[in-house]
Amino acid sequence: MTNRKQMTLCALVAATILTASCESEIAVPILDAGLSTSAAAQGIEATPSTLSATQTPLIADKPESRVEAARFLNQATFGATSVEVDRLMSMGYSAWIDEQFALPRQQTYAKWIKTDGPRLNPVDFADGNSDRESAAWYTLAKNQPDQLRLRTAWALSQIFVVSRAKVGGNIILWMDTTADGGFGTYREMLQLMTFSPVMAQFLDYRENSDRDGRIPDQNYAREIMQLFSIGLWQLNADGTLKFDASGQRIPTYSQADVTGLSYVFTGLNLQSGGDRVGTCRDDAGRLLPATNDMKLLWRCELSVWPYASTRQHSFLGVTIPAISKWSSARILQDNGRKNIGIALDTLANHPNTAPFISKLLIQRFTTSNPSPAYVARVAAAFAKNGKGVRGDFKAIVKQILLDPEARTPAVQTPYEFGKIREPILAIAQLNRVLNANDGKGNVWAGSSGCRVHHNIVSELERPYNSATVFNYYRPTFAAPSGKVAAQNMVAPEMQITDTSTTLDWSRFVQQTLQRGGTGCANAAKRQNSFAYDEFWAESANAEQLADKVLLLLAPGANWTDLRPALVRSINSIPAATQANRIDRIKIAIMLTMLTPEYRVQR
C-alpha cells in the first residue's frame, strides 16, 4: 500500500498507566482515506460469488462455532456478549431473529430524554454541557433487549437522514420514528417520513406552497427520489446499472420530475385543526387528545391544509389532474392527501426501489461490496416477503443477515466481503462489552465542555448529526487514487477515516481504557465507568484472554499474527493482583481495537 505509515503500540502504551512493556513492536497501519488494509486493496484479485441470484440459501440454522455466532451478533446488534453467544448457539439464527421481531418496542428515546435521564441522573442531565441526545442513543444501544430493532433504526437513519444540526432537540422524535418504522414496511416508512414535522423542518417542505404562482421548494422532492427511494440511475434487479444503446447510464428522473413532484408536497403543516387532529403521541407512544400546544404538535403527523396545490402536475410518468381551487376545504385537503399517497405508492413500487434500498441496507449490516447475486436475493425479499407484502423490513433484514454470502465463509469473496467499522458502532460495542455505566443506568457521550471522544464522535459521527442529507459518508465512496477504486470497489466509511481521525481514535481508546471509563479530558470527572466481568474469568490466562477478546471484538478476522502479539503483551503484565488482571484486560482490548483486523468488520 502506498504511503503506509507505521506506529508502534509502545508509543501509545507509554502514555498510559498500563504496566505492559512492549517486548516487541506491533505495527499498526494508519489508514489513508480511500485505502483499505484488506488484501483486495493491496492488489489481490477478488473472487466473484459463485451463488446465483435465485439459488436457495443453504446455511446451517445454528452457528457452526462461537466465532460464527459472535460474527453474526456483531452484525445484528451493537456488540456480541458471551450470554448472547451462548443463547444463539442454542437457539439458532432464525429463532433468535424471530424472537427479536416479536419483542415490543422497549424504552423510547423521548421517554429517556423527558423522564428517565433526569430522574436517574439529575446532576449530569442538568449540566449545560451534557449531550443528552447522544446519551439517549448510547444508553438504549447498550441497555435495551430489542437490539435488532435499534440496529435497524440506525441503518435506516443513514438512508432517511435527518440531522440535529438543523432540527436541534427535535431529533429525538426522528430517532423514535426510525425505531418505530424499523420492523414495518418501506411504504409505511415513506408515510412516517413524509408526515414527520422533523423531516419537514430538515428538508424545508413545511408550509410549502404554490400560491401566487410560486414554484414550491424542491428540496424534499429531489431527495426523496435521489436518496430515499430510486436513486440517480436506472438499475437491474441485482443493483447493477442499466445502460442505453450508446453505453450511457440512464437517469431515473429529470428536473421536470423534481418540479412536478414538488407540487405534491404542498399544504403540509403542523396540525392545530387540520385533517390529522388527534395523531399526537406522548413519550410512551400513546395517542394524546387533540391539542393546540405547539410543543406537542411536533409529536403529531403533519396535516394537509387547504392550500395544497390544485394544478395539474406530472412526475415519473404519473399525472395528477387539476381540481378547482374553489373546492371546499375538505375536498382540497382530501385531494392533497390522496396526491401524496399516489406519489409515495409510485416511489415504493418503482422497479429501482428494491435493489437501491436493498443494497444500502446490506452495506449498513454486513458488507460494503455485496455481489449482484446477494443484492438480487435481498431485492427479491423486498419485492415479496412470502405473504404478498412488498417492502417488509423484517423479511429484508432477515435475508440480509441469513444470506449465504453473509453467513458462509466458504462462499464469501475473501478480499471483498466486510466493511469498515464506523466510529460510533465501535464505541457502542466498547460500551456494551465493558458494561459502561454511570452507576444509574445511563451511558453518557461527552459534550462540548467534556470532549470525551477526542473529535471522533462529536465531529464525525455524533448520533443523528451528519453534516448533510448525504449521511456521514456516501455509500459509493472510494478515493480516486486508491486501490479500492482500482478494484471497482467502494469503502464508504473511509470517507471519514484518514491519518488524523485514526490517531484521534488511538487516543480515545488509550485514554478511555486508561481511566477505566469515559470522562472529561482533564480526568476531573468520569461520567461512565467500565466493568470487566465479561473477561474476568480468562484474565489470568493470556491465551484464554486473547481468545475471548478476539471472539467478541473481531470474530471472522484473521488472527494469525494478532493473537500471538496479544498473548505476548498480556503476558508482559503479571496476574498477581486484581489491578494487574484489569490491566491485562485493558491492554488486550486496546491492542485489538487499534488494529485493521478490528476496524475491518468481517
Side-chain angles (χ1 to χ4, degrees), residues 43 83 88 91 130 143 152 171 187 212 243 268 280 307 314 340 342 373 381 386 398 477 482 510 591 595 599:
V83 171
L88 181 60
M91 296 175 65
S130 289
N143 291 341
T152 302
I171 195 64
R187 175 60 177 82
D212 304 321
F243 297 96
L268 287 165
C280 304
Y307 58 85
S314 300
I340 291 174
I342 291 171
K398 194 167 191 176
F477 176 80
Q510 168 224 339
L591 297 185
T595 63
R599 290 301 298 273

Side-chain angles (χ1 to χ4, degrees), residues 7-16 28 503 506-507 510 590 594:
M7 62 182 295
T8 66
L9 286 170
C10 287
L12 291 176
V13 176
T16 74
V28 178
L503 286 171
S506 299
R507 285 194 294 270
Q510 168 224 339
M590 186 182 79
L594 298 185

Side-chain angles (χ1 to χ4, degrees), residues 251-267:
T252 53
Y253 62 88
S254 66
Q255 177 56 40
D257 293 315
V258 174
T259 301
L261 188 56
S262 70
Y263 285 95
V264 173
F265 300 119
T266 55

Side-chain angles (χ1 to χ4, degrees), residues 95-168:
W96 185 91
I97 291 175
D98 291 341
E99 181 184 68
Q100 286 285 305
F101 287 159
L103 283 176
R105 182 76 198 281
Q106 304 290 302
Q107 183 184 33
T108 66
Y109 297 105
K111 183 174 181 293
W112 189 92
I113 283 285
K114 186 172 182 179
T115 305
D116 297 334
R119 175 178 59 83
L120 293 171
N121 191 337
V123 174
D124 280 323
F125 192 90
D127 184 341
N129 286 322
S130 289
D131 182 351
R132 301 175 187 89
E133 289 81 10
S134 292
W137 190 86
Y138 278 108
T139 298
L140 269 63
K142 184 225 143 191
N143 291 341
Q144 295 305 301
D146 52 339
Q147 285 283 298
L148 185 56
R149 178 190 291 275
L150 297 184
R151 188 69 177 77
T152 302
W154 175 244
L156 292 179
S157 78
Q158 294 182 286
I159 299 171
F160 306 103
V161 175
V162 172
S163 175
R164 81 166 102 171
K166 185 170 181 179
V167 305

Side-chain angles (χ1 to χ4, degrees), residues 4-139:
R4 181 165 174 155
K5 300 178 182 179
Q6 304 226 335
M7 62 182 295
T8 66
L9 286 170
C10 287
L12 291 176
V13 176
T16 74
I17 59 170
L18 301 181
T19 58
S21 62
C22 293
E23 297 176 342
S24 61
E25 291 188 342
I26 307 171
V28 178
I30 302 302
L31 308 181
D32 290 312
L35 299 180
S36 167
T37 56
S38 69
Q42 299 178 50
I44 299 175
E45 291 293 325
T47 304
S49 173
T50 58
L51 291 168
S52 73
T54 57
Q55 181 173 344
T56 301
L58 296 174
I59 66 167
D61 187 58
K62 289 189 176 182
E64 296 182 355
S65 67
R66 291 177 63 80
V67 169
E68 281 301 301
R71 191 171 70 84
F72 170 88
L73 290 169
N74 280 346
Q75 293 168 341
T77 75
F78 290 104
T81 64
S82 294
V83 171
E84 280 301 296
V85 168
D86 290 340
R87 292 185 73 249
L88 181 60
M89 292 292 291
S90 175
M91 296 175 65
Y93 295 123
S94 294
W96 185 91
I97 291 175
D98 291 341
E99 181 184 68
Q100 286 285 305
F101 287 159
L103 283 176
R105 182 76 198 281
Q106 304 290 302
Q107 183 184 33
T108 66
Y109 297 105
K111 183 174 181 293
W112 189 92
I113 283 285
K114 186 172 182 179
T115 305
D116 297 334
R119 175 178 59 83
L120 293 171
N121 191 337
V123 174
D124 280 323
F125 192 90
D127 184 341
N129 286 322
S130 289
D131 182 351
R132 301 175 187 89
E133 289 81 10
S134 292
W137 190 86
Y138 278 108
T139 298

Side-chain angles (χ1 to χ4, degrees), residues 46 55 91 123 127 140 163-164 168 172 197 203 211 254 319 329 340 361 380 408 458 469 474 485 491 498 530 545 548:
Q55 181 173 344
M91 296 175 65
V123 174
D127 184 341
L140 269 63
S163 175
R164 81 166 102 171
I172 282 292
L203 289 183
R211 287 178 291 190
S254 66
T319 297
I340 291 174
L361 286 172
T408 311
S458 57
V469 71
R474 297 199 179 212
D498 56 21
F530 291 147
L545 179 56
K548 183 68 169 292

